[in-house]
Amino acid sequence: KGVAWIAFSHDRDAASAKAIINALAVRKFMPEAHLLLAEIADYEGDQTEKLRHLKKFKSLVSTPRYRSMYHKYLAMLEAEEFNNAAGALKIAGEEIVNRPTPQSYDLLAWGYYHQKEFAKALAIASQKVEHQNYEPDALYHLGMIYHANGDNAKALQYLTTALESEFELGPALSRKIRTAIQNI
């Protein structure tokens, strides 16, 4: 999977990345392969293929056996891709009960952001995530939440810092961050 990610994120070689991940997926149960394939499809502008892979991922990990292992991805997909902020908030709430970490609270704040409850998102993010979680996706979320609340200086700070991890974020999210920075 790492080689596929390098081919995609560093080399921007979507064809090689897809070939690698498809070869792996036939040998092993890998629901997360569908996330990478969805991201590649998004990068290539194929929204139909992206949605197909996102739905496949969701169906594979929504069983009780796997669901809690993939809470982060499910919550983010519900909020960002399926326009289901309420579903994202439900998953984030379950995650907080199981693991009340800054990463779990980031999911909650992101759910409120997508529900357009920006002040609530900021209250949670500033108390439970900021200065406690330095993952690039959490920094991106902080930037967007601050921007929605009118604090463009902090928004730029967090978005710029997130973009320093472009390889980890991948081309699609990096493109979103660049667009957000340009719009501030």
Side-chain angles (χ1 to χ4, degrees):
K1 287 188 314 186
V3 173
W5 183 254
I6 291 168
F8 175 59
S9 186
H10 182 269
D11 300 340
R12 304 292 198 259
D13 185 350
S16 293
K18 285 191 286 190
I20 294 165
I21 208 72
N22 284 325
L24 290 172
V26 297
R27 294 184 183 143
K28 182 180 176 195
F29 180 74
M30 290 178 32
E32 62 276 9
H34 292 285
L35 289 177
L36 178 54
L37 291 169
E39 189 169 349
I40 292 169
D42 184 40
Y43 177 73
E44 294 178 322
D46 188 342
Q47 296 306 306
T48 303
E49 186 71 3
K50 173 186 174 182
L51 186 58
R52 185 178 75 76
H53 282 293
L54 293 177
K55 286 180 177 179
K56 181 68 173 176
F57 170 79
K58 185 177 174 181
S59 74
L60 290 172
V61 302
S62 290
T63 63
R65 180 176 180 188
Y66 295 108
R67 184 174 170 84
S68 65
M69 290 172 49
Y70 294 97
H71 267 164
K72 173 184 176 179
Y73 304 106
L74 286 171
M76 288 175 41
L77 288 177
E78 290 297 341
E80 297 172 8
E81 303 295 341
F82 299 126
N83 297 316
N84 182 8
L89 290 169
K90 182 178 183 288
I91 294 167
E94 293 171 10
E95 185 66 8
I96 288 169
V97 168
N98 293 335
R99 288 176 285 279
T101 65
Q103 191 169 19
S104 299
Y105 282 101
D106 172 56
L107 296 176
L108 185 65
W110 197 233
Y112 282 120
Y113 169 86
H114 281 277
Q115 204 166 42
K116 307 232 183 297
E117 293 189 45
F118 302 130
K120 200 170 198 175
L122 181 59
I124 293 165
S126 64
Q127 293 172 13
K128 300 286 189 175
V129 180
E130 191 171 26
H131 306 299
Q132 297 175 54
N133 184 344
Y134 300 96
E135 292 296 319
D137 57 340
L139 297 173
Y140 162 64
H141 297 164
L142 282 166
M144 297 305 292
I145 290 168
Y146 272 109
H147 178 60
N149 281 280
D151 190 337
N152 290 338
K154 276 197 170 183
L156 279 172
Q157 172 193 339
Y158 283 113
L159 292 171
T160 303
T161 303
L163 199 53
E164 291 173 7
S165 298
E166 184 172 2
F167 172 77
E168 189 175 340
L169 293 170
L173 186 51
S174 296
R175 182 174 31 202
K176 280 184 187 178
I177 294 171
R178 279 194 188 83
T179 300
I181 289 170
Q182 290 173 352
N183 292 329
I184 293 179

